[in-house]
Amino acid sequence: MSAFLSKDALSAAAGKLPVERVDLPEIGGHVFVRGMSGVERDAWERSLVVGKGRRRDYNLDNVRARLAARTICGADGVRSFGDDDAEMLGKIRVDCLNRIFEVAQRLSGVSDQDVEDLGKGSELEAGSGSSSN
Protein backbone atom coordinates (compact mmCIF):
# COMPACT_ATOMS: atom_id res chain seq x y z
CA MET A 1 0.00 0.00 0.00
CA SER A 2 1.34 3.42 -0.86
CA ALA A 3 1.71 6.31 1.57
CA PHE A 4 -0.60 9.29 1.69
CA LEU A 5 1.23 12.35 0.38
CA SER A 6 0.80 15.40 2.57
CA LYS A 7 0.80 19.00 1.38
CA ASP A 8 4.48 19.24 2.40
CA ALA A 9 5.36 16.08 0.46
CA LEU A 10 3.59 17.33 -2.67
CA SER A 11 5.22 20.73 -2.30
CA ALA A 12 8.65 19.08 -2.04
CA ALA A 13 7.92 17.12 -5.23
CA ALA A 14 7.07 20.26 -7.23
CA GLY A 15 9.67 20.92 -9.88
CA LYS A 16 11.02 17.37 -9.84
CA LEU A 17 10.19 16.63 -13.45
CA PRO A 18 11.39 13.52 -15.28
CA VAL A 19 14.26 14.01 -17.73
CA GLU A 20 15.14 11.50 -20.43
CA ARG A 21 17.94 11.36 -22.96
CA VAL A 22 16.80 11.04 -26.58
CA ASP A 23 19.42 9.80 -29.02
CA LEU A 24 19.36 11.36 -32.47
CA PRO A 25 22.14 9.51 -34.32
CA GLU A 26 20.75 10.69 -37.67
CA ILE A 27 21.93 14.20 -36.84
CA GLY A 28 24.93 13.22 -34.75
CA GLY A 29 24.00 13.48 -31.10
CA HIS A 30 21.33 13.57 -28.42
CA VAL A 31 19.08 15.91 -26.50
CA PHE A 32 17.40 15.71 -23.13
CA VAL A 33 13.64 16.01 -22.89
CA ARG A 34 11.72 16.70 -19.70
CA GLY A 35 8.13 16.40 -18.69
CA MET A 36 6.03 19.48 -18.07
CA SER A 37 4.39 20.50 -14.82
CA GLY A 38 0.65 21.06 -14.74
CA VAL A 39 1.17 24.81 -15.05
CA GLU A 40 3.47 24.34 -18.04
CA ARG A 41 1.09 21.96 -19.78
CA ASP A 42 -1.80 24.39 -19.32
CA ALA A 43 0.37 27.17 -20.80
CA TRP A 44 1.28 24.94 -23.77
CA GLU A 45 -2.39 24.16 -24.39
CA ARG A 46 -3.30 27.88 -24.11
CA SER A 47 -0.56 28.67 -26.64
CA LEU A 48 -2.47 26.57 -29.18
CA VAL A 49 -5.64 28.65 -28.80
CA VAL A 50 -6.36 31.43 -31.27
CA GLY A 51 -9.27 33.81 -30.93
CA LYS A 52 -11.65 34.32 -28.03
CA GLY A 53 -15.13 33.28 -26.99
CA ARG A 54 -17.18 31.72 -29.76
CA ARG A 55 -14.44 32.56 -32.26
CA ARG A 56 -11.91 30.42 -30.39
CA ASP A 57 -10.11 27.79 -32.42
CA TYR A 58 -6.94 25.71 -32.06
CA ASN A 59 -3.83 26.19 -34.15
CA LEU A 60 -2.06 22.82 -34.33
CA ASP A 61 0.45 24.03 -36.94
CA ASN A 62 3.93 22.86 -35.97
CA VAL A 63 2.52 21.32 -32.78
CA ARG A 64 5.38 18.79 -32.53
CA ALA A 65 8.04 21.48 -32.59
CA ARG A 66 6.04 23.71 -30.25
CA LEU A 67 6.00 20.92 -27.66
CA ALA A 68 9.68 20.16 -28.32
CA ALA A 69 10.63 23.80 -27.69
CA ARG A 70 8.96 23.61 -24.27
CA THR A 71 10.54 20.30 -23.27
CA ILE A 72 14.07 20.04 -24.73
CA CYS A 73 16.44 20.77 -21.89
CA GLY A 74 19.91 20.27 -20.54
CA ALA A 75 20.77 17.29 -18.32
CA ASP A 76 19.79 19.54 -15.39
CA GLY A 77 16.21 19.92 -16.66
CA VAL A 78 16.51 23.61 -17.57
CA ARG A 79 14.80 24.50 -20.87
CA SER A 80 17.16 24.94 -23.80
CA PHE A 81 14.77 26.74 -26.15
CA GLY A 82 12.21 29.50 -25.98
CA ASP A 83 8.77 29.33 -27.53
CA ASP A 84 10.03 31.40 -30.48
CA ASP A 85 12.45 28.59 -31.40
CA ALA A 86 9.61 26.26 -32.44
CA GLU A 87 9.77 27.45 -36.05
CA MET A 88 13.45 26.42 -36.29
CA LEU A 89 12.82 23.10 -34.52
CA GLY A 90 10.03 22.36 -36.99
CA LYS A 91 12.63 22.29 -39.76
CA ILE A 92 14.66 19.38 -38.37
CA ARG A 93 14.20 15.87 -39.72
CA VAL A 94 10.70 14.66 -38.96
CA ASP A 95 11.89 11.27 -37.70
CA CYS A 96 14.04 13.03 -35.09
CA LEU A 97 11.32 15.54 -34.24
CA ASN A 98 8.80 12.73 -33.81
CA ARG A 99 11.13 10.91 -31.44
CA ILE A 100 11.45 14.06 -29.30
CA PHE A 101 7.69 14.68 -29.48
CA GLU A 102 6.81 11.14 -28.44
CA VAL A 103 9.08 11.29 -25.38
CA ALA A 104 7.74 14.76 -24.47
CA GLN A 105 4.19 13.45 -24.77
CA ARG A 106 4.87 10.44 -22.56
CA LEU A 107 6.75 12.41 -19.89
CA SER A 108 4.06 15.13 -19.86
CA GLY A 109 1.01 12.89 -19.99
CA VAL A 110 -0.10 14.22 -23.38
CA SER A 111 -1.80 11.44 -25.35
CA ASP A 112 -2.46 11.37 -29.08
CA GLN A 113 -6.15 11.64 -28.12
CA ASP A 114 -5.43 14.83 -26.16
CA VAL A 115 -3.87 16.44 -29.25
CA GLU A 116 -6.74 15.23 -31.43
CA ASP A 117 -9.29 16.59 -28.93
CA LEU A 118 -7.59 20.00 -28.97
CA GLY A 119 -8.19 20.10 -32.71
CA LYS A 120 -11.86 19.29 -32.12
CA GLY A 121 -12.27 21.93 -29.40
CA SER A 122 -14.05 24.50 -31.50
CA GLU A 123 -16.35 21.83 -32.98
CA LEU A 124 -17.31 20.64 -29.50
CA GLU A 125 -18.01 24.17 -28.28
CA ALA A 126 -20.11 25.02 -31.32
CA GLY A 127 -22.16 21.83 -30.94
CA SER A 128 -22.62 22.00 -27.17
CA GLY A 129 -26.33 22.72 -27.49
CA SER A 130 -26.34 25.29 -24.72
CA SER A 131 -28.42 28.37 -25.24
CA SER A 132 -28.79 31.65 -23.40
CA ASN A 133 -32.24 32.47 -24.80
Side-chain angles (χ1 to χ4, degrees), residues 9-43:
L10 288 172
S11 179
K16 294 182 180 175
L17 302 170
V19 175
E20 189 172 309
R21 178 180 161 145
V22 179
D23 291 317
L24 304 170
E26 303 87 348
I27 53 178
H30 68 272
V31 296
F32 290 96
V33 174
R34 69 170 175 82
M36 294 185 288
S37 68
V39 170
E40 291 170 328
R41 176 160 171 187
D42 288 347

Side-chain angles (χ1 to χ4, degrees), residues 15-18 34-47 66-67 70-71 77-79 83 107-108 110:
K16 294 182 180 175
L17 302 170
R34 69 170 175 82
M36 294 185 288
S37 68
V39 170
E40 291 170 328
R41 176 160 171 187
D42 288 347
W44 172 70
E45 287 181 358
R46 273 192 314 275
S47 78
R66 290 162 72 183
L67 183 60
R70 289 178 179 260
T71 58
V78 175
R79 273 182 74 173
D83 296 344
L107 295 179
S108 300
V110 177

